[in-house]
Amino acid sequence: ALERTFSIIKPDATRRNLTGQIIAKLEDGGLRVVAQKRIRLSEDQAKSFYAVHKERPFYSDLVSFMTSGPVVVQVLEGENAISRNREIMGATNPSEAAPGTIRAEFAENIEANSVHGSDGPDTAAEEIKFFFTDDEIVG
Ligand code: CMP
């Protein structure tokens, strides 16, 4: 089915000027960018976006990392966009990511792993709403 998912190009990737190469992989994989903005996350935004991880040992490092530089937040649309995006990104840990995936090619480590993508339909809807209003999404 035609779906939308939420994606972040993380600070490790914007710092290395990799946004174009990452978007090319998403587009080559069959996804369309239907909303996009480059922003700096506030600490409150990062904490709230990643609240599901707040008991994890990596939470405070993750919040520091995600606020350390610009990010590109985007809505991607396509057939089975949620799982397609996850395939194109590769495994969270770049050492386990399949060859050719964004994380295999670009990620620095399990934290600075270049991209985020929604893990299911409910989180996709929530994450899109966290950053975009309906009129900012142009399909
Ligand atoms: P993301 O898909 O954005 O979701 C949670 C993020 O936490 C993950 O990508 C990584 O950037 C970061 N992270 C850091 N350490 C870990 C870990 N041990 N397991 C999972 N995620 C981690």
Side-chain angles (χ1 to χ4, degrees), residues 10 50 53 56 58 62 92 103 110-111 113 116:
K10 295 187 179 184
Y50 279 119
H53 295 303
R56 308 283 291 270
F58 57 80
L62 176 61
T92 303
R103 285 163 170 164
I110 195 171
E111 174 182 84
N113 64 354
H116 165 82

Side-chain angles (χ1 to χ4, degrees), residues 5-131:
T5 191
F6 175 73
S7 163
I8 305 179
I9 302 177
K10 295 187 179 184
D12 67 289
T14 60
R15 176 167 44 76
R16 288 175 291 148
N17 210 22
L18 293 171
T19 60
Q21 289 183 72
I22 288 172
I23 295 161
K25 281 194 175 287
L26 298 169
E27 291 181 339
D28 290 347
L31 299 173
R32 303 180 73 85
V33 177
V34 295
Q36 191 175 59
K37 52 194 169 191
R38 183 178 175 100
I39 58 175
R40 181 84 178 244
L41 294 183
S42 68
E43 190 172 330
D44 281 353
Q45 275 179 310
K47 282 183 172 165
S48 147
F49 183 80
Y50 279 119
V52 63
H53 295 303
K54 65 175 183 295
E55 307 303 333
R56 308 283 291 270
F58 57 80
Y59 179 66
S60 64
D61 273 358
L62 176 61
V63 170
S64 308
F65 165 63
M66 290 299 292
T67 57
S68 68
V71 298
V72 177
V73 293
Q74 47 195 2
V75 179
L76 306 175
E77 185 178 88
E79 276 300 308
N80 305 313
I82 297 165
S83 60
R84 190 80 263 272
N85 182 42
R86 294 175 68 76
E87 287 169 11
I88 300 165
M89 290 193 297
T92 303
N93 187 345
S95 68
E96 293 163 11
T101 60
I102 291 169
R103 285 163 170 164
E105 289 205 5
F106 301 128
E108 295 182 320
N109 54 58
I110 195 171
E111 174 182 84
N113 64 354
S114 302
V115 281
H116 165 82
S118 307
D119 61 8
D122 295 345
T123 47
E126 275 171 34
E127 292 175 355
I128 289 169
K129 254 183 86 178
F130 191 93
F131 286 104

